[in-house]
């Protein structure tokens, strides 16, 4: 029998953590944090907060159901904080258990561990290659299959068991034209489907969208169509996107260079993600400048405000997070933002009430200052309904557990599964945080 412990991400977008158990041995997949529960953004050091407090407010998963289990491995699907952000709070519960992931993911995880204030993480961390099958016990092996998402080196994690594969597809989309050159490994996914998939655990964030998620190449065209239009004479140009979205940041840096402007990236998180990406050759920073320290930020932004037409500012704060650079600008700090400035939002609003409210407040403040706003020059990194349908057809899983979403999202996925011949309660299991799904058939 295979047991799936749905520990986090089954009642919300974020805080992802799942455990797969076979014959008393457990593989943990992801240890994420829910950012909005602590009103933080990518620049805030939540490593200074104790885990008991974070768990109490629902910011990190409660791993109590598996705390006394025999955990043989921890696998990270990709480097977003809602998948690796709780590593320093939860990995110490499983000392010496090895942690696996692709190179960019593991380097980001090590960065989180390095910043931790409360706990010491002693788990060995190993960088794995796509297609490599790592035997973690006599009965269990893990594999990382290349997929596309809004951060480099994303993976579909496969746990191989004697009863068949457990496939964890959170987060992903099928992008055949990624500017970074990454492509989904369709061949291996089809092979795994033929070998036999016992359980598919799949994200449900955008499953209600009855379309296929567009390629990142579409976002690149949207940005170029705006910035390169004939007659572009805007003075202050400010773009905001996810600090971890390396492909999008590369596009913005190239746009700045082609316009004869200097790209100035403002914020610790932008420095962290681009710094590691540069080490791995994933981004070219030619002509750009990265500001990390508060003193440098204030000094350079004063200079930029005097000659706005020479720069493209790239900042955090697209969700309206308190303390983020764009939010501080809207509050009258750092930079005298106003009618001479255009803010380009190259990011969607994370679908939860707090983010929606914060973004509304941010836009209201910017509008009151006379700022021109250009929104939704963006495509999602998450699969839509037809991407999910294609994955189900490729893998032909015996059972499905929807994940990574609010309850309504999980049920939308269950509806799609029923369209494909599955039945809720028989081979589709909608779970909640803290529960166990027993796969007996």
């Amino acid at each position: 029998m295979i047991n799936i412990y749905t520990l986090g991400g089954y009642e919300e977008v974020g805080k992802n953590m799942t455990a797969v158990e076979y014959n008393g041995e457990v593989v943990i997949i992801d240890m994420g944090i829910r950012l909005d529960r602590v009103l933080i953004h990518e620049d805030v050091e939540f490593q200074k907060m104790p885990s008991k407090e974070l768990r109490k407010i629902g910011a990190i998963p409660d791993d109590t159901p598996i705390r006394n289990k025999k955990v043989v491995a921890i696998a990270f699907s990709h480097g977003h904080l809602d998948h690796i952000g709780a590593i320093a709070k939860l990995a110490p519960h499983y000392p010496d258990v090895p942690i696996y992931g692709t190179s960019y993911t593991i380097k980001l995880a090590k960065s989180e561990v390095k910043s931790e204030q409360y706990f010491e993480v002693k788990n060995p961390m190993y960088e794995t290659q796509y297609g490599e099958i790592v035997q973690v016990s006599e009965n269990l092996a893990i594999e990382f299959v290349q997929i596309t998402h809004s951060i480099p080196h994303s993976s579909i994690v496969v746990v191989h068991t004697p009863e068949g594969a457990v496939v964890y597809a959170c987060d992903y989309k099928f992008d055949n034209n990624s500017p970074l050159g990454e492509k989904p490994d369709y061949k291996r996914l089809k092979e795994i489907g033929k070998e036999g998939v016992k359980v598919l655990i799949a994200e449900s964030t955008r499953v209600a969208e009855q379309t296929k998620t567009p390629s990142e190449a579409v976002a690149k065209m949207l940005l170029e169509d705006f910035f390169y239009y004939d007659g572009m004479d805007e003075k202050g140009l400010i773009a905001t996107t996810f600090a971890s979205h390396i492909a999008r940041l590369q596009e913005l840096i190239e746009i700045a260079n082609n316009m004869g402007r200097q790209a100035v990236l403002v914020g610790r998180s932008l420095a962290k993600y681009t710094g590691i990406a540069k080490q791995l050759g994933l981004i070219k920073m030619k002509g750009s400048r990265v500001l990390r320290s508060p003193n440098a930020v204030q000094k350079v932004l004063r200079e930029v405000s005097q000659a706005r037409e020479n720069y493209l500012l790239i900042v955090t704060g697209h969700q309206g997070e308190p303390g983020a650079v764009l939010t501080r600008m809207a509050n009258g700090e750092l930079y005298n933002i106003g009618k001479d400035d255009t803010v380009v939002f190259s990011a969607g609003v994370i679908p939860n009430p707090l983010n929606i409210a914060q973004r509304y407040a941010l836009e209201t403040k910017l509008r009151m200052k006379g700022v021109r706003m250009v929104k939704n020059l963006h495509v999602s990194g998450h699969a839509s309904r037809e991407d999910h349908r294609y994955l189900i057809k490729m893998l032909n899983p015996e059972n499905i557990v929807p994940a990574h979403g609010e309850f309504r999202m999980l049920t939308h996925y269950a509806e799609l599964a029923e369209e494909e011949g599955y039945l809720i309660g028989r081979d589709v299991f909608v779970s909640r945080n803290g529960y166990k799904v027993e796969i007996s058939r």
Side-chain angles (χ1 to χ4, degrees):
M1 178 186 291
I2 295 173
N3 293 324
I4 308 296
Y5 291 88
T6 56
L7 303 174
Y10 293 84
E11 297 177 9
E12 64 277 295
V13 176
K15 201 175 78 177
N16 296 284
M17 185 174 182
T18 301
V20 178
E21 180 182 36
Y22 175 80
N23 198 28
E25 296 179 327
V26 173
V27 172
I28 295 172
I29 309 176
D30 290 340
M31 292 177 164
I33 195 163
R34 183 171 174 181
L35 301 176
D36 64 296
R37 280 293 168 94
V38 281
L39 290 174
I40 64 178
H41 61 92
E42 293 168 306
D43 278 349
V44 172
E45 298 176 286
F46 56 84
Q47 295 87 353
K48 294 180 179 179
M49 303 177 71
S51 58
K52 184 177 181 180
E53 179 185 345
L54 289 168
R55 190 165 53 249
K56 183 178 179 181
I57 62 176
I60 63 173
D62 183 353
D63 62 336
T64 304
I66 63 166
R67 191 77 64 83
N68 297 317
K69 297 283 184 179
K70 183 182 178 182
V71 178
V72 296
I74 299 167
F76 287 142
S77 60
H78 63 284
H80 280 146
L81 290 179
D82 61 337
H83 291 260
I84 67 168
I87 176 177
K89 308 300 183 184
L90 299 178
H93 297 163
Y94 313 95
D96 302 322
V97 172
I99 298 173
Y100 300 92
T102 53
S103 56
Y104 190 57
T105 304
I106 290 297
K107 282 180 169 57
L108 289 172
K110 287 180 177 178
S111 176
E112 293 302 309
V113 167
K114 188 176 180 181
S115 303
E116 174 60 25
Q117 303 284 319
Y118 275 80
F119 302 104
E120 183 179 1
V121 177
K122 297 181 179 179
N123 307 65
M125 297 193 203
Y126 299 105
E127 297 179 11
T128 57
Q129 301 297 315
Y130 288 127
E132 177 184 0
I133 298 178
V134 182
Q135 199 72 36
V136 295
S137 75
E138 183 179 348
N139 289 315
L140 299 177
I142 56 176
E143 178 181 0
F144 296 83
V145 179
Q146 183 165 357
I147 198 64
T148 43
H149 184 42
S150 53
I151 189 171
H153 291 186
S154 294
S155 305
I156 286 179
V157 179
V158 182
V159 181
H160 294 281
T161 83
E163 292 188 17
V166 177
V167 177
Y168 177 89
C170 305
D171 303 335
Y172 80 99
K173 74 175 184 179
F174 291 124
D175 188 342
N176 301 318
N177 298 284
S178 168
L180 288 182
E182 298 180 323
K183 287 190 177 182
D185 190 346
Y186 296 109
K187 181 178 180 224
R188 182 57 186 143
L189 288 172
K190 290 176 182 177
E191 288 173 352
I192 291 169
K194 291 177 181 177
E195 292 166 5
V197 175
K198 192 71 175 179
V199 189
L200 168 61
I201 304 167
E203 65 149 307
S204 58
T205 309
R206 284 178 54 86
V207 71
E209 301 291 328
Q210 296 187 334
T211 184
K212 184 192 183 302
T213 301
S215 166
E216 178 61 22
V218 173
K220 186 173 188 288
M221 287 190 290
L222 288 172
L223 289 167
E224 290 176 347
D225 279 352
F226 171 72
F227 283 107
Y228 295 160
Y229 74 81
D230 186 37
M232 161 68 82
D233 61 354
E234 279 75 7
K235 290 185 179 178
L237 288 176
I238 302 167
T240 180
T241 191
F242 295 96
S244 57
H245 204 322
I246 299 304
R248 194 71 52 82
L249 295 171
Q250 182 70 83
E251 291 153 20
L252 289 168
I253 290 169
E254 291 174 359
I255 284 170
N257 288 338
N258 291 337
M259 295 179 71
R261 296 185 180 226
Q262 182 181 44
V264 179
L265 288 73
V266 188
R268 287 191 307 271
S269 58
L270 283 164
K272 177 180 76 173
Y273 285 105
T274 57
I276 295 174
K278 187 177 179 182
Q279 290 175 28
L280 295 171
L282 297 171
I283 191 171
K284 296 176 182 177
M285 303 294 290
K286 180 182 178 182
S288 65
R289 186 172 182 181
V290 183
L291 307 180
R292 179 192 293 264
S293 72
N295 288 339
V297 169
Q298 292 183 357
K299 179 177 181 294
V300 174
L301 288 185
R302 280 197 300 268
E303 296 173 5
V304 171
S305 66
Q306 300 303 312
R308 301 174 192 229
E309 65 277 4
N310 295 331
Y311 300 93
L312 170 59
L313 292 177
I314 303 173
V315 303
T316 55
H318 47 83
Q319 301 298 312
E321 312 96 308
V325 173
L326 185 58
T327 306
R328 294 180 66 190
M329 287 179 172
N331 289 337
E333 304 172 45
L334 298 177
Y335 178 91
N336 186 25
I337 197 168
K339 60 182 178 58
D340 289 332
D341 296 295
T342 297
V343 174
V344 173
F345 287 90
S346 189
V349 181
I350 296 173
N352 62 58
L354 183 59
N355 283 93
I356 293 168
Q358 289 178 166
R359 174 69 173 262
Y360 177 80
L362 171 66
E363 291 183 15
T364 300
K365 291 175 184 177
L366 292 173
R367 194 174 293 110
M368 290 173 67
K369 289 180 175 289
V371 175
R372 176 189 179 195
M373 287 180 283
V374 181
K375 298 189 283 187
N376 296 323
L377 299 186
H378 172 67
V379 298
S380 176
H382 292 275
S384 298
R385 197 174 191 89
E386 295 310 310
D387 299 280
H388 287 299
R389 194 187 306 276
Y390 185 40
L391 184 64
I392 292 172
K393 289 180 179 295
M394 267 197 296
L395 296 179
N396 191 28
E398 294 181 31
N399 302 277
I400 296 176
V401 179
H404 197 324
E406 299 168 0
F407 190 71
R408 63 182 174 84
M409 298 172 181
L410 306 184
T411 55
H412 284 314
Y413 197 106
E415 290 170 359
L416 168 64
E418 289 208 327
E419 290 176 11
E420 294 301 314
Y422 295 83
L423 184 65
I424 296 174
R426 183 191 68 191
D427 41 30
V428 178
F429 303 96
V430 176
S431 189
R432 305 298 289 264
N433 291 342
Y435 284 80
K436 176 176 70 173
V437 177
E438 296 181 355
I439 305 296
S440 55
R441 65 179 296 275

